[in-house]
Amino acid sequence: MIDPARPVLDIRAVCKTYPGGVEAVRRVSLQVARGELLALAGESGCGKTTVLKMINRLEDASGGSIFYEGEDIAGRDPVALRREIGWVMQGDGLFPHLTVRENVAIIPRLLGWTAGEISNRVIEMLELVQLPVNAYGDRYPAELSGGQRQRVGFARALAGRPDLLLMDEPFSALDPITRDSLQQEFRSLQAELGFSAVMVTHDMAEALIMADRIAVMADGEIVQHGTPSDLLANPASDYVSGLLETPRRQMRAIRELGA
Amino acid sequence: MSANFAERLAELPQYLSAHVVLSMCALLAGIVLSIPLGIQAARRPRLAAATLNAASVIQTIPGLALLALMVPLLGGRIGFLPAFIALMLYSVLPILRNTIVGLQGIEPQIREAARGIGLTDRQRLWQIELPLALPVIVAGLRTATVWVVGAATLATPVGATSLGNYIFAGLQTRNWLSVLFGCVFAAGLAIVLDQAIRLLEIAARDRRRGLAIGVGVFLAVLVAASIAPRFMTPGQAGAVAAGESPGAAQGIAGQTVTIGSKAFTEQYILGALMQRRLEEAGARVVRRDNLGSTIAFDALRSGEIDVYIDYTGTIWATVMNRSEPAGRYRMFTEMSAWLWAEHGILTLGRLGFENAYGFAVSREFAEAQGVDSLEDLSAIAAELTVGGDPEVFARSEWTATRDVYGLGPARTRSMDNTFLYSAARDGQVDVITAYTTDGRIAAFDLTVLDDPRGVLPPYDAVILVSPQAARRPGLAAVLGPLVGAIDDDAMREANRRVDLDGDTPAGAAAWLGERIAEQ
């Protein structure tokens, strides 16, 4: 059924024009291969979050089309589509009135799994994000640290076994040490489970460290698209160089200290 | 004191259960109306603004006025319905406002997360938004509960039974134990319901099914116990009707007669007197006490009550809107003809006494100022304070007196009829509007001032019968003997027994009944 060679996600010339004529996204085309992490980078207001939200139809495209697992999403029920695609957001987006266990169980429950399947999946997912269910399952989000909450956010998004995970600035609210360890953990989680991911970030260093490929956006368009080393070797414009300047300067400074 | 306590206690099941049913029905309807409206409005800012504005306007209307307004709006209906509607409207604002605020206060991030992971609109509402808004909605519900249980005590003047009956009747008959009963049980009920809702919220939050069921059962039992007596009364009435009674021949036996009365001692006594006679004739009597003055008339016109006592001058001024003076007989004749022609209301006749509005002063004041008629007051009008019952300053009796005798510069103070007489005795006010049959005029050594220019109309007490009841000859036959049977002295003495000796209206009515029988 699933062709491993076919991209999980195929975005073809999508546009988003808001009433009043503001063009947030202009003819963006992207593909995401199986198991790949694509970063959408750029300054705020460049349209990267809008692209992300069009993938699970939180926003509908004004033009172009998006294929998920070979199927045009325009013909799909948005709610069913969203249950198949994982969603992680800035902060954590956990439901404060539900326990950790209930937050993680919510998508399997919506998908109609049996109680036994749900319970096993919750235990498995919480193990994976290193929050054993015995210690953490009955806590409420307010009783967890920021890093722990974000881990529960990942566990919730991945509990329904999605092929694709969408992430909107997932690490930006965390302190640097927690951020770093969670970034590492995320890559090993992805290697283990094999899902594909699209991550929106304004932090170029994060994109360089984590992503397989990076699409840099400005003014609703993709201005450069390639692997991290492509971007570092051949920035296509002053804008891209400017975005790369901060991580470069930090790298140089650290190197000088070590020398 | 202990007899008084026992009598009050005997009234408790009726008043408390009526209060519970009235306030719980109003609250339930308020919830059913406000929460769905609030859910809709939370998503539509313009609807939210419009509904909140409307609810706020209703809230600014004083509770008593809102209740009173429902009577004419419902075409003269009194009793449960107008009280229920007014209290329901009263409960809307806090529940509606808190529903809107609670739902709008949910972080946008949480809403977006719920959409992003694939909850439908309905699932978002029930699983995420309502549970998160629940504490705020419940806070609104608790506010509404306390308001409605409190405001339900004001339902008495529109003819709905409630714990307010204790308060209104107690205030009029100087029975402070009765007032205390009303206050304590109304406050107690508010606290109990408030805490029940709080426990339900805790049960919902902590998912304690046992607690929820416990509170639910308690509330169900409370409502069931309050409703049960209503279904039992018709059976008892049937039992009474089955017995042979002397009135059977007159065709009133077994019929139900509803007697209305306004909210002062004399009215309670006359209501009890009519009740005695009707029950002796085998009729089943329902009392609607403490009606507002014009509400009583509206209720009679629409047939909500069958009979009550009013006064010629009052009908003349406030119902017929006539301001010109008229002599006693002309007024009675014109009034009777007008009531019959306009409304089909039958004037059975005059009871024989007059309860006029008069202006009274303490003897001390009269002697010090050399005052014995209204004309003497004009010279000192600027220094005068006139105390009156809550309605008199809006009535033509006062405006005519003021204009004719030059009392414009005097200060006016409204207070309940109960406090007027002692206020005059103690010099807190100089002049009061007094009912001339009130026993306290003599007891407090007050003097009623002469009205040399004949401004104040006569106030002959009359028995008025509703259009429907007018077609029941038995009623006129039973109450007819009261016409011309009660003179000023008899009425004053009966009033005095209640207001000063602490007798009950029923006791005074019994005395009055015996006196009539001796004549």
Side-chain angles (χ1 to χ4, degrees):
Chain A
M1 192 69 168
I2 289 174
D3 172 8
R6 186 185 63 200
V8 172
L9 186 69
D10 188 356
I11 300 175
R12 296 184 193 164
V14 292
C15 307
K16 180 69 187 181
T17 309
Y18 285 107
V22 181
E23 290 185 293
V25 175
R26 282 183 276 190
R27 296 187 62 80
V28 164
S29 293
L30 284 168
Q31 293 193 334
V32 179
R34 202 155 299 281
E36 187 182 41
L37 198 169
L38 171 76
L40 286 174
E43 293 174 339
S44 7
C46 71
K48 55 191 192 301
T49 300
T50 309
V51 171
L52 192 78
K53 287 182 174 177
M54 285 192 285
I55 298 171
N56 71 353
R57 295 195 59 186
L58 282 176
E59 304 255 10
D60 276 323
S62 324
S65 42
I66 297 175
F67 292 84
Y68 171 62
E69 297 289 13
E71 202 179 346
D72 188 344
I73 63 161
R76 298 220 36 197
D77 169 39
V79 168
L81 180 71
R82 287 174 203 146
R83 290 176 187 176
E84 283 176 33
I85 299 177
W87 175 255
V88 174
M89 55 197 296
Q90 187 176 6
D92 49 71
L94 297 181
F95 303 126
H97 62 301
L98 301 181
T99 62
V100 166
R101 190 197 301 270
E102 290 163 337
N103 265 288
V104 176
I106 196 159
I107 293 166
R109 199 160 53 76
L110 293 174
L111 291 172
W113 295 11
T114 66
E117 285 170 336
I118 295 172
S119 164
N120 289 338
R121 186 62 176 168
V122 169
I123 293 169
E124 184 185 0
M125 291 315 297
L126 287 176
E127 270 326 309
L128 269 176
V129 297
Q130 296 165 33
L131 295 169
V133 72
N134 291 336
Y136 294 94
D138 294 325
R139 295 202 195 174
Y140 284 90
E143 298 167 315
L144 302 178
S145 71
Q148 288 170 333
R149 282 205 295 272
Q150 196 56 283
R151 285 192 183 128
V152 177
F154 282 122
R156 182 176 72 181
L158 294 169
R161 299 206 176 86
D163 292 332
L164 178 65
L165 185 65
L166 304 180
M167 303 186 282
D168 186 7
E169 307 268 10
F171 304 108
S172 64
L174 304 174
D175 65 82
I177 295 171
T178 313
R179 186 187 310 156
D180 181 58
S181 69
L182 257 177
Q183 285 167 346
Q184 302 308 320
E185 280 174 40
F186 180 80
R187 284 317 311 244
S188 54
L189 205 61
Q190 197 186 8
E192 193 170 337
L193 298 175
F195 57 86
S196 315
V198 179
M199 173 175 76
V200 161
T201 181
H202 66 271
D203 178 353
M204 207 56 183
E206 182 172 271
L208 290 169
I209 292 164
M210 292 187 67
D212 299 304
R213 279 184 303 120
I214 301 171
V216 181
M217 289 186 66
D219 273 339
E221 290 176 317
I222 295 181
V223 292
Q224 190 169 10
H225 183 190
T227 63
S229 35
D230 286 346
L231 257 65
L232 286 166
N234 296 306
S237 62
D238 290 348
Y239 174 72
V240 179
S241 310
L243 288 175
L244 291 168
E245 192 44 44
T246 313
R248 276 199 167 122
R249 199 171 45 234
Q250 286 170 343
M251 248 184 309
R252 274 198 303 273
I254 291 165
R255 234 182 247 136
E256 278 159 24
L257 282 173
Chain B
M1 186 68 184
S2 72
N4 186 5
F5 190 87
E7 270 184 47
R8 301 290 79 77
L9 207 58
E11 291 164 343
L12 187 62
Q14 189 202 351
Y15 293 174
L16 183 62
S17 67
H19 203 100
V20 167
V21 170
L22 178 61
S23 40
M24 300 257 299
C25 284
L27 273 172
L28 229 71
I31 293 170
V32 168
L33 184 72
S34 312
I35 293 185
L37 190 61
I39 290 169
Q40 293 301 314
R43 300 176 188 169
R44 296 177 184 77
R46 280 164 70 185
L47 181 62
T51 52
L52 280 177
N53 282 340
S56 306
V57 167
I58 292 171
Q59 208 66 56
T60 56
I61 303 173
L64 187 58
L66 187 63
L67 282 153
L69 274 175
M70 283 302 139
V71 175
L73 284 178
L74 293 172
R77 281 204 68 153
I78 59 164
F80 182 82
L81 193 67
F84 164 75
I85 293 177
L87 293 174
M88 178 193 72
L89 289 175
Y90 222 51
S91 76
V92 165
L93 180 70
I95 306 175
L96 179 70
R97 183 185 52 206
N98 284 36
T99 303
I100 294 174
V101 168
L103 288 173
Q104 287 180 342
I106 296 169
E107 282 181 54
Q109 258 193 346
I110 290 171
R111 285 171 193 281
E112 180 161 283
R115 267 187 84 209
I117 68 170
L119 273 72
T120 62
D121 287 356
R122 183 179 290 264
Q123 287 167 337
R124 290 210 317 271
L125 181 67
W126 285 101
Q127 298 184 19
I128 309 298
E129 295 179 8
L130 283 179
L132 286 175
L134 190 67
V136 184
I137 297 174
V138 169
L141 180 56
R142 290 174 62 181
T143 306
T145 302
V146 173
W147 283 4
V148 165
V149 171
T153 58
L154 302 173
T156 300
V158 299
T161 306
S162 75
L163 291 167
N165 286 35
Y166 278 132
I167 299 171
F168 280 87
L171 187 58
Q172 294 307 326
T173 57
R174 299 174 63 80
N175 186 337
W176 305 124
L177 181 72
S178 181
V179 175
L180 198 64
F181 253 71
C183 296
V184 166
F185 282 97
L189 182 63
I191 291 168
V192 166
L193 290 181
D194 180 56
Q195 290 304 308
I197 294 168
R198 190 181 73 93
L199 289 176
L200 277 181
E201 185 196 6
I202 291 173
R205 192 190 59 202
D206 300 347
R207 277 163 270 186
R208 286 162 61 182
R209 193 178 292 263
L211 181 62
I213 292 171
V215 177
V217 166
F218 167 75
L219 289 177
V221 167
L222 186 65
V223 172
S226 303
I227 293 173
R230 290 170 186 241
F231 293 110
M232 284 162 63
T233 9
Q236 291 167 350
V240 172
E244 279 299 311
S245 61
Q250 297 174 323
I252 196 84
Q255 296 187 21
T256 301
V257 178
T258 306
I259 301 175
S261 66
K262 303 187 192 188
F264 52 91
T265 304
E266 179 172 298
Q267 287 273 324
Y268 305 140
I269 297 171
L270 294 171
L273 182 64
M274 290 193 284
Q275 177 177 11
R276 281 170 59 87
R277 292 193 71 88
L278 285 163
E279 283 177 348
E280 279 167 13
R284 192 174 96 78
V285 170
V286 176
R287 292 280 297 272
R288 288 292 185 76
D289 285 349
N290 297 302
L291 301 176
S293 184
T294 55
I295 287 171
F297 182 81
D298 287 342
L300 185 81
R301 197 179 50 186
S302 68
E304 293 263 330
I305 58 174
D306 295 316
V307 60
Y308 84 110
I309 307 290
D310 212 325
Y311 306 89
T312 51
T314 302
I315 297 289
W316 184 261
T318 62
V319 179
M320 297 168 71
N321 287 316
R322 304 275 290 262
S323 55
E324 76 276 19
R328 165 158 292 143
Y329 300 103
R330 197 189 123 211
M331 180 178 284
F332 172 72
T333 312
E334 272 197 40
M335 181 205 77
S336 309
W338 185 88
L339 286 177
W340 181 254
E342 291 289 319
H343 299 296
I345 292 170
L346 174 66
T347 308
L348 213 50
R350 294 183 292 157
L351 290 172
F353 72 91
E354 178 190 25
N355 183 5
Y357 259 123
F359 289 84
V361 297
S362 68
R363 186 154 62 180
E364 211 176 312
F365 179 87
E367 282 168 3
Q369 301 286 337
V371 170
D372 59 13
S373 93
L374 284 165
E375 228 149 23
D376 301 331
L377 290 178
S378 57
I380 51 169
E383 292 103 62
L384 283 180
T385 302
V386 182
D389 66 50
E391 60 177 277
V392 70
F393 293 122
R395 291 173 59 143
S396 58
E397 289 89 341
W398 163 248
T399 48
T401 307
R402 182 191 63 196
D403 296 345
V404 169
Y405 294 109
L407 302 181
R411 294 200 317 137
T412 58
R413 279 178 69 181
S414 288
M415 67 189 80
D416 195 89
N417 192 43
T418 302
F419 304 114
L420 273 175
Y421 301 87
S422 51
R425 176 193 61 189
D426 302 340
Q428 291 172 312
V429 295
D430 305 313
V431 185
I432 59 165
T433 63
Y435 295 134
T436 53
T437 50
D438 199 295
R440 286 169 289 196
I441 292 175
F444 293 169
D445 209 7
L446 306 181
T447 308
V448 178
L449 298 174
D450 285 344
D451 172 23
R453 302 208 202 161
V455 173
L456 292 165
Y459 288 91
D460 290 336
V462 289
I463 306 175
L464 300 183
V465 179
S466 75
Q468 288 89 332
R471 291 186 217 110
R472 291 154 64 176
L475 188 65
V478 174
L479 297 180
L482 293 177
V483 172
I486 307 168
D487 61 18
D488 284 3
D489 285 340
M491 195 67 241
R492 203 173 288 137
E493 171 60 17
N495 286 337
R496 199 189 61 75
R497 283 168 177 256
V498 174
D499 288 333
L500 291 163
D501 301 347
D503 196 359
T504 61
W511 173 84
L512 201 54
E514 280 161 27
R515 188 177 148 134
I516 292 168
E518 284 163 14
Q519 283 171 355

